[in-house]
Amino acid sequence: MLNKTLAELAKGLDQGEFSSVELTQAYLERIKREDSKYNSFITVTEELALTQATAADETRAAGNATSMTGLPIAHKDIFCTQGVRTSAGSKMLDNFVSPYDATVIRQFNAAGAVTLGKTNMDEFAMGSSNESSFYGPSRNPWNTDHVPGGSSGGSAAAIAAGLAPAATGTDTGGSIRQPAAFCNLTGLKPTYGRVSRYGMIAYASSLDQGGPMAQTAEDAAMMMNVMAGLDPLDSTSADRQVPDYTAKLDAPLTGLKIGLPKEFLSANLNPEMATLIHAAVKEYEALGATVTEVSLPNTALSVPAYYIIAPAEASSNLSRFDGVRYGYRCEDPKNLEDMYKRTRGEGFGTEVKRRIMVGTYALSEGFYDAYYKKAQQIRRLIQEDFVRVLSEVDVIMGPTTPTPAFKLGEKTSDPVEMYMEDIFTLSLNLAGLPGMSIPCGMNNGLPVGLQIIGNYFAEEKLLNVAHKFQQATDWHTLKPAGL
Amino acid sequence: MALNRTDVEKIAHLARLQIDESSVPEYATNLSNILDLISQMQSIDTSDVEPLAHPLDAVQRLRADNITENNQREHLQTVAPSVESGLFLVPKVIE
């Protein structure tokens, strides 16, 4: 019963092939047996999972099951989960047992889903490789010498290794799409505001967005049906109707207009990656789509703009970690300032400290116009590029990442090199647009992701576009050797 | 943009971060490289561009001014490092 998609598992539960308790136990056993290779979980919530699975089986027996009832999933350890340690991958929150549930957790619980555990991640979601986690890096099941991507690397590794059929992630600059690409998964970063941020530990509040990571677009649609919607507890959540994301998955793509940005497919792109992207686009042409070249001239500026805006917001958000109300506190503080400084110096890892310092510097007296205001102006230009292009085409396609998964340790010595990894994903967060990554081929035994970008609140269209590709190809069904 | 030791120490103080003496040079190098990357922004003229603070240019949503939260002080203080009589304890602030 393992190695199935959420939709297949839902069918198995419906037809009584197995119970949620049996399914959950099978996953828990596999996690216990296999996860030392991948380090994809920070906390396995065995007791909670079995309690939820038992309740789900009772709900089903009473005839009240819905599409998510009894399905086990994993949650990124950035979503506060009542009674469970919620660490955000940081020593700062290693002792933090959340007193409340994030809205996303509450939604999945209410839908009857089963929580297998909390997945590994870059500390406070700051990273593109999962190497900044306090709990050690997670590893890519396709090749354990390589990173699974980040920051939702544990979620990606767990699904790719068959330790969870699906998981939640968050995406501030590519943290759902890039690990999905590196691990041959389907990941969706929704429009800013589509999924509630309440209880999702904040990194950069104007960019953060939660979303699904799964094996198929169909599964991602099932999860979006649970996650999306207005939340009075998040003042930035969008007050817009939520469609049934599974309803139009099969709609034909005849006449779909695809834009290929020349900046995403420049001569600098790894030629093997470019070949796979062009082959995927050809597949779409066979499905009835038309393709035109488009231009997003400010793409390159998304890196510097992001690395001002995100650290600036992070320096403010992470000021809450002061050793007073929750989390780590240093031993024997001499005075208040000593307590703040040592708590934060000892509790945060190097990359988090670096970003807090960049943000603090950018917001310090006299630098605001040169850095923060300038970055927000560039953000406007990036958004205008997208708005212009998306008035001409339905979706934009290109690579999710410049290369397939790199090796552990390959980029840790130079943060700037690591930041360049995000060049194709950052611009969407700055503009607030939705985007997906879906599998579109293999390069030297490692997966390659096709990125699909749509207009504001066009998640339904994106899932349709991704699903039709997955009906016509089988890249998404490939599994690492031995699975 | 090259930051020196004094700059790094000043920023670390503003951010209330203790940085090991020995790692200050590494921070200086990496932060300087990051600021070099960021300086690419200056290559473009944005004098007539309105800054974008929120991707959907949304405004703050308001609600009726009703009490909606219960008092959960005890529950929420279970995760605090040090608490007494419902108060968070910190090192002595006033001599």
Side-chain angles (χ1 to χ4, degrees):
Chain A
M1 68 189 117
L2 302 173
N3 298 335
K4 287 186 192 293
T5 66
L6 284 181
E8 290 164 350
L9 291 173
K11 214 179 204 175
L13 289 168
D14 256 351
Q15 296 176 345
E17 285 171 38
F18 43 80
S19 69
S20 177
V21 169
E22 286 165 344
L23 181 63
T24 300
Q25 271 166 342
Y27 272 110
L28 290 169
E29 276 161 32
R30 201 187 229 187
I31 293 167
K32 245 180 245 174
R33 200 170 62 236
E34 305 284 340
D35 198 36
S36 57
K37 283 186 261 182
Y38 313 112
N39 195 27
S40 64
F41 281 87
I42 291 174
T43 305
V44 179
T45 51
E46 182 168 358
E47 204 177 315
L48 171 66
L50 290 171
T51 306
Q52 288 176 326
T54 306
D57 285 335
E58 283 163 11
T59 304
R60 188 171 300 278
N64 297 325
T66 56
S67 62
M68 195 60 64
T69 305
L71 292 178
I73 59 167
H75 291 295
K76 185 176 184 178
D77 204 17
I78 200 165
F79 290 103
C80 284
T81 311
Q82 185 163 1
V84 175
R85 172 175 63 180
T86 300
S87 73
S90 181
K91 179 182 175 182
M92 186 63 90
L93 290 175
D94 182 49
N95 65 1
F96 178 67
V97 175
S98 176
Y100 74 108
D101 276 330
T103 294
V104 164
I105 299 286
R106 187 179 50 70
Q107 287 165 320
F108 276 106
N109 289 348
V114 171
T115 302
L116 292 169
K118 309 292 296 292
T119 55
N120 205 347
M121 55 181 284
D122 280 296
E123 185 178 5
F124 287 106
M126 297 183 196
S128 311
S129 69
N130 214 122
E131 291 168 290
S132 76
S133 170
F134 172 63
Y135 301 92
S138 184
R139 287 165 182 274
N140 191 321
W142 288 86
N143 182 335
T144 51
D145 292 336
H146 291 250
V147 303
S151 66
S152 312
S155 289
I159 303 167
L163 307 182
T168 53
T170 61
D171 190 315
T172 304
S175 287
I176 286 175
R177 291 161 286 154
Q178 186 249 24
F182 280 7
C183 294
N184 211 46
L185 303 174
T186 300
L188 167 64
K189 173 232 173 287
T191 306
Y192 180 78
R194 180 76 293 188
V195 170
S196 168
R197 293 185 297 108
Y198 179 74
M200 191 177 107
I201 295 170
Y203 159 22
S205 304
S206 78
L207 307 167
D208 295 341
Q209 182 61 203
M213 301 176 77
Q215 300 169 69
T216 63
E218 186 184 15
D219 285 4
M222 287 171 68
M223 293 172 75
M224 279 300 284
N225 279 351
V226 175
M227 300 172 83
L230 174 68
D231 180 8
L233 298 174
D234 171 6
S235 66
T236 62
S237 78
D239 188 3
R240 280 180 73 118
Q241 207 186 340
V242 179
D244 173 357
Y245 290 102
T246 60
K248 290 189 186 153
L249 286 173
D250 281 313
L253 299 185
T254 321
L256 179 80
K257 285 187 248 170
I258 299 174
L260 289 187
K262 58 181 185 194
E263 294 80 5
F264 281 40
L265 291 154
S266 74
N268 298 333
L269 182 68
N270 167 350
E272 285 152 335
M273 300 272 297
T275 304
L276 291 171
I277 301 300
H278 285 296
V281 171
K282 271 252 168 325
E283 189 68 47
Y284 274 106
E285 285 181 297
L287 290 169
T290 57
V291 179
T292 48
E293 189 186 84
V294 296
S295 177
L296 298 165
N298 293 300
T299 297
L301 288 172
S302 62
V303 182
Y306 177 91
Y307 280 99
I308 283 295
I309 293 167
E313 294 184 10
S315 76
S316 168
N317 272 325
L318 273 63
S319 65
R320 72 190 58 170
F321 299 106
D322 54 8
V324 176
R325 289 153 301 162
Y326 38 71
Y328 178 77
R329 176 188 283 195
C330 69
E331 294 287 332
D332 302 322
K334 289 201 297 278
N335 52 46
L336 196 61
E337 184 171 305
D338 180 56
M339 185 184 83
Y340 290 153
K341 284 187 172 176
R342 280 202 291 124
T343 293
R344 293 163 60 76
E346 294 164 16
F348 291 136
T350 305
E351 179 61 22
V352 171
K353 281 188 268 205
R354 220 156 27 216
R355 293 198 195 186
I356 290 174
M357 288 168 77
V358 170
T360 302
Y361 180 72
L363 294 177
S364 61
E365 197 185 354
F367 294 117
Y368 181 85
D369 282 4
Y371 290 117
Y372 195 72
K373 186 176 167 204
K374 183 85 183 176
Q376 298 280 54
Q377 288 171 316
I378 288 172
R379 186 175 190 181
R380 171 83 61 190
L381 297 177
I382 288 166
Q383 185 199 37
E384 285 171 352
D385 283 353
F386 276 117
V387 168
R388 178 178 45 76
V389 169
L390 286 167
S391 70
E392 294 157 9
V393 300
D394 300 311
V395 291
I396 297 168
M397 289 187 186
T400 308
T401 59
T403 63
F406 45 92
K407 284 189 168 160
L408 273 108
E410 196 179 319
K411 295 180 194 283
T412 40
S413 59
D414 181 0
V416 169
E417 204 185 322
M418 187 76 91
Y419 296 174
M420 294 310 289
E421 266 304 299
D422 307 330
I423 179 134
F424 299 133
T425 48
L426 296 174
S427 51
L428 263 77
N429 299 78
L430 291 168
L433 288 162
M436 289 188 77
S437 181
I438 60 171
C440 74
M442 302 293 290
N443 181 204
N444 291 327
L446 291 166
V448 171
L450 172 74
Q451 187 170 211
I452 314 172
I453 302 162
N455 219 328
Y456 294 106
F457 300 100
E459 288 81 4
E460 193 178 16
K461 170 59 79 183
L462 290 180
L463 288 161
N464 165 225
V465 169
H467 179 70
K468 291 303 275 185
F469 186 80
Q470 294 181 341
Q471 297 290 293
T473 62
D474 56 9
W475 297 116
H476 64 291
T477 64
L478 297 181
K479 302 265 186 267
L483 279 171
Chain B
M1 181 78 208
L3 296 180
N4 59 31
R5 170 174 285 274
T6 320
D7 297 325
V8 171
E9 285 168 351
K10 185 181 166 210
I11 301 165
H13 169 71
L14 288 173
R16 299 295 185 270
L17 285 170
Q18 175 163 288
I19 303 292
D20 287 341
E21 188 75 8
S22 61
S23 59
V24 171
E26 198 189 329
Y27 275 103
T29 306
N30 282 326
L31 294 176
S32 300
N33 290 342
I34 293 167
L35 291 175
D36 280 342
L37 169 78
I38 286 162
S39 69
Q40 289 171 13
M41 293 195 304
Q42 308 307 332
S43 67
I44 187 159
D45 178 15
T46 53
S47 41
D48 297 326
V49 181
E50 186 68 21
L52 176 70
H54 184 291
L56 302 171
D57 283 323
V59 292
Q60 183 68 43
R61 196 164 47 233
L62 301 176
R63 61 164 173 83
D65 186 17
N66 299 326
I67 296 170
T68 56
E69 295 291 312
N70 305 321
N71 184 0
Q72 303 185 65
R73 182 196 292 202
E74 248 175 71
H75 176 56
L76 296 175
Q77 285 192 332
T78 54
V79 289
S82 182
V83 171
E84 196 181 294
S85 317
L87 304 171
F88 295 102
L89 293 190
V90 296
K92 199 168 174 185
V93 181
I94 302 163
E95 294 297 328

